[in-house]
Amino acid sequence: YLLIPVALHTSSLLISISPEILDGAPNGSDSKKLRVEEALPSRVIHIRKLPNEASETEVIALGLPFGKVTNILTLKGKNQAFLEMGTEEAAVTMVNYYSKVTPLIRNIQVFIQYSNHKELKTDAANQRTQAVLQAVSAAQSPGSEVQEVLAAVSSPVLRIIIDNMFYPVTLDVLQQIFSKFGTVMKIITFTKNNQFQALLQFSDPVSAQQAKLALDGQNIYNSCCTLRIDFSKLVNLNVKYNNDKSRDYTRPELPAGDGQPSFDPTVAVAFSKDSSSLLGKIPGALNPLSAAAAAAAAAGRVALAGQTGSSGVLLVSNLNEEVSNTDTRVYGDVQRVKILYNKKDSALIQMSESNQAQLAMSHLNGQKMYGKIIRVTLSKHQTVALPRDGLDDQGLTKDFANSPLHRFKKPGSKNFQNIFPPSATLHLSNIPQDVTEDDLRLLFSNTGGTVKAFKFFQDRKMALIQMSTVEEAIQALIDLHNYNMGGNQHLRVSFSKSTI
């Protein structure tokens, strides 16, 4: 055995390391293999073959289901680590479990065995490692039964519920966030009890466990869209369609279907009881989680959940005075609109909620409409006042409180899940059965734009239509949303994130 100092960030640890550890064994002689296999149980676990980019948090996550982790030492140059458990019993349970289930970090197999060391001794100067340990340990659910945790972790399928969903959370956003912890195989999204939910299947149970530990309680966007994650009792998801509601990444040849989920969640899903949030109490952790969230923040999209005094009134300026029709209805329910008397290229628009105003601002500010780039900001006004009785304001103020065009009156409406920035592709729904592709192409061409592509969904009640530019799509949406297609059947138009 060699006695050597090992650098650990700002501190050092003096430990004895056997030759097989230095060699990355056990690949040497039979005697070396024998010594490794016959190592006595210890609360210190030796982990080998770590990915180069593996973090301390990911290593700690391997031990968390089995008990408290009290110390960690990483040997970056050797792709190895030592993990000290709170008790020998927890270490024995961990080693026994991973003898049956392959331990993975970043979808790469690692190797776990007992260490010859009975404990890891580090000095208190190693603040970074201790901070990681304290944060993760404090977030552990106290008093949970080890067997209960092991039973839950045996499933690679997570149930995800989004709380405070002020912005849409798409299947692609979920895939981007969760794929950091392993290979995402399948995702199914649906609405249950007026809440957006998803089932997400990893390639292995350990990746699911690591994702739950890291993400449960975190916000996708600032102060909203909070992830509540639990294990499902399902071990495999049956996905029939690849579309905006469900996806099987292992079977790209699946049809698009009708845009509906591939199963009935009320029948097919049985869930384990709720578990405590594991990392939700760590301030500032993983916010935002993804590039999509970062882009949203850069665009000024900050949710107003929990804030008071926030304005639901927008000031829209640089409008075309001849056609002052700014349609913000795709981002919320417009209550009132007032064209400013002394500045006809500007208007005040009152949304039903402040977060809808924020959403409309983030998506519409800087868009080109009727040949001019509009500016959208939050107004200092809290409401748009109606003209006093008997006062003629030349029709500059309109009240839309009772408009049939409101999309978001119903709490938990699916419309909240289909809010996207202006795009050249539009989603059409409520299409009568006798309306053809040529009919719709002609209708949208009459708005002054050029139709580049068209695609019916399987049931022909919905379709995608692509205009030449975003400006043309905006114009078409303004002109044709709620258009009467005959028989009192009104066309519904919204922006789509898809392309044809």
Side-chain angles (χ1 to χ4, degrees):
Y1 288 82
L2 303 177
L3 195 65
I4 61 171
V6 181
L8 182 64
H9 304 294
T10 58
S11 65
S12 62
L13 170 67
L14 198 64
I15 61 174
S16 60
I17 300 182
S18 58
E20 64 265 21
I21 294 176
L22 292 174
D23 294 338
N27 294 319
S29 66
D30 290 340
S31 62
K32 288 180 181 179
K33 290 181 181 179
L34 184 62
R35 272 189 291 176
V36 171
E37 291 170 359
E38 291 182 346
L40 295 175
S42 164
R43 64 191 186 97
V44 179
I45 304 295
H46 179 211
I47 305 171
R48 300 180 295 109
K49 304 285 187 179
L50 291 171
N52 291 329
E53 66 276 14
S55 67
E56 289 173 329
T57 303
E58 289 171 307
V59 176
I60 292 170
L62 287 175
L64 278 180
F66 310 95
K68 186 176 182 181
V69 177
T70 53
N71 212 341
I72 182 174
L73 167 67
T74 55
L75 306 176
K76 291 288 187 182
K78 293 289 182 181
N79 298 92
Q80 300 179 30
F82 292 90
L83 201 65
E84 181 186 273
M85 304 300 292
T87 65
E88 187 175 297
E89 180 188 23
V92 170
T93 306
M94 177 178 173
V95 172
N96 288 343
Y97 175 74
Y98 287 124
S99 68
K100 300 185 179 87
V101 177
T102 303
L104 298 172
I105 290 183
R106 302 201 176 203
N107 211 31
I108 295 175
Q109 182 178 359
V110 299
F111 297 87
I112 290 177
Q113 63 196 49
Y114 296 118
S115 168
N116 291 320
H117 309 291
K118 296 303 179 184
E119 63 179 336
L120 297 179
K121 294 181 179 178
T122 57
D123 57 53
N126 183 13
Q127 296 180 355
R128 180 180 175 278
T129 298
Q130 292 304 314
V132 172
L133 277 169
Q134 289 173 11
V136 176
S137 297
Q140 279 185 269
S141 176
S144 60
E145 296 289 337
V146 171
Q147 292 305 319
E148 182 179 327
V149 175
L150 291 179
V153 82
S154 64
S155 173
V157 180
L158 296 175
R159 175 191 65 167
I160 303 159
I161 297 176
I162 309 294
D163 283 337
N164 302 318
M165 192 167 131
F166 289 110
Y167 301 112
V169 177
T170 66
L171 185 147
D172 292 330
V173 168
L174 291 174
Q175 194 274 339
Q176 188 173 14
I177 293 170
F178 282 83
S179 62
K180 298 178 186 299
F181 301 91
T183 301
V184 175
M185 309 287 283
K186 305 169 185 177
I187 306 177
I188 296 172
T189 63
F190 56 95
T191 300
K192 183 180 180 183
N193 299 329
N194 288 329
Q195 276 192 310
F196 177 82
Q197 301 189 23
L199 292 173
L200 184 146
Q201 180 177 337
F202 278 102
S203 58
D204 61 274
V206 176
S207 295
Q209 169 74 355
Q210 291 174 336
K212 180 184 184 301
L213 289 171
L215 300 178
D216 188 23
Q218 299 300 311
N219 295 326
I220 296 177
Y221 301 114
N222 292 338
S223 303
C224 70
C225 297
T226 305
L227 293 165
R228 282 205 294 120
I229 304 172
D230 200 356
F231 289 100
S232 169
K233 289 181 180 177
L234 296 174
V235 294
N236 186 52
L237 298 179
N238 181 24
V239 176
K240 298 179 181 177
Y241 306 117
N242 284 337
N243 51 42
D244 289 346
K245 302 292 189 298
S246 61
R247 192 81 48 86
D248 186 337
Y249 295 95
T250 68
R251 301 178 64 196
E253 75 281 0
L254 287 177
D258 57 0
Q260 297 302 312
S262 304
F263 74 118
D264 181 357
T266 62
V267 175
V269 186
F271 299 116
S272 59
K273 65 181 182 180
D274 285 345
S275 59
S276 303
S277 172
L278 295 176
L279 291 181
K281 298 179 178 67
I282 302 176
L286 295 171
N287 189 13
L289 295 175
S290 66
R301 189 194 308 176
V302 180
L304 302 175
Q307 297 183 14
T308 57
S310 299
S311 174
V313 178
L314 295 168
L315 174 62
V316 185
S317 57
N318 203 38
L319 293 166
N320 187 320
E321 294 185 35
E322 296 177 1
V323 199
S324 294
N325 181 6
T326 303
D327 200 315
T328 61
R329 292 171 298 184
V330 293
Y331 301 117
D333 294 331
V334 174
Q335 301 297 303
R336 295 173 184 173
V337 177
K338 179 188 287 288
I339 304 295
L340 301 189
Y341 181 78
N342 294 322
K343 195 170 173 53
K344 298 291 195 302
D345 70 343
S346 300
L348 293 173
I349 300 176
Q350 181 180 334
M351 310 295 288
S352 63
E353 295 180 9
S354 57
N355 64 289
Q356 293 178 4
Q358 185 80 30
L359 190 62
M361 180 182 72
S362 67
H363 285 325
L364 294 177
N365 184 41
Q367 293 292 339
K368 195 172 185 181
M369 202 173 295
Y370 296 106
K372 300 183 72 175
I373 294 178
I374 65 170
R375 296 285 174 253
V376 184
T377 60
L378 291 177
S379 169
K380 63 182 180 180
H381 298 284
Q382 297 298 312
T383 61
V384 171
L386 293 173
R388 287 175 293 190
D389 291 341
L391 182 64
D392 181 14
D393 73 342
Q394 302 176 14
L396 297 177
T397 305
K398 290 188 178 180
D399 188 353
F400 296 99
N402 298 315
S403 170
L405 300 182
H406 289 170
R407 305 183 188 212
F408 307 100
K409 270 189 173 182
K410 183 181 177 182
S413 166
K414 289 184 178 181
N415 290 330
F416 284 107
Q417 301 168 27
N418 297 302
I419 301 175
F420 303 107
S423 62
T425 305
L426 297 170
H427 181 273
L428 315 182
S429 60
N430 205 34
I431 302 172
Q433 288 292 338
D434 59 347
V435 172
T436 66
E437 176 179 337
D438 289 340
D439 293 334
L440 290 168
R441 281 180 174 269
L442 178 61
L443 182 65
F444 278 78
S445 296
N446 288 337
T447 64
T450 301
V451 176
K452 290 188 64 177
F454 181 93
K455 179 184 177 182
F456 263 123
F457 283 69
Q458 195 169 18
D459 64 358
R460 299 180 68 88
K461 293 179 182 178
M462 295 187 290
L464 294 176
I465 191 165
Q466 185 176 339
M467 309 300 290
S468 292
T469 65
V470 174
E471 184 182 7
E472 288 181 4
I474 292 173
Q475 181 66 58
L477 185 148
I478 292 172
D479 290 347
L480 296 177
H481 175 61
N482 208 49
Y483 182 83
N484 192 341
M485 302 292 291
N488 203 31
Q489 197 162 347
H490 293 79
L491 184 67
R492 296 198 171 275
V493 185
S494 58
F495 296 117
S496 172
K497 68 177 180 64
S498 303
T499 55
I500 305 174

